[in-house]
Amino acid sequence: MGNVRPEDLITFGDVREALGVSRQRASVIVGERRFPEPWFVSRDGTTRLWLRTEVETWLDANRPGWRGEA
């Protein structure tokens, strides 16, 4: 996979913000099988990190306009 830098990763909070939904709704969306798998999950499951590019690709395909472009 190559070297992953901290700026290549996003948190659940970042995902939720990009989706523009509540914490509960974001949990449902990231749990769907079509959503990218987390790149990292802590042992206790409280921390999940996703590759920014994978999430952005999913958002582009499933949430047109999420970037705030007119």
Side-chain angles (χ1 to χ4, degrees), residues 20-68:
V21 297
S22 69
R23 183 176 196 75
Q24 183 177 7
R25 180 68 184 134
S27 290
V28 170
I29 292 169
V30 301
E32 293 175 353
R33 62 184 164 96
R34 290 184 3 239
F35 196 83
E37 290 290 321
W39 179 82
F40 169 82
V41 179
S42 63
R43 277 185 199 214
D44 63 5
T46 59
T47 302
R48 294 175 286 175
L49 299 173
W50 286 263
L51 287 172
R52 181 180 304 278
T53 56
E54 289 183 0
V55 172
E56 288 179 350
T57 298
W58 184 92
L59 288 165
D60 287 339
N62 295 280
R63 297 284 176 142
W66 74 272
R67 293 179 190 265

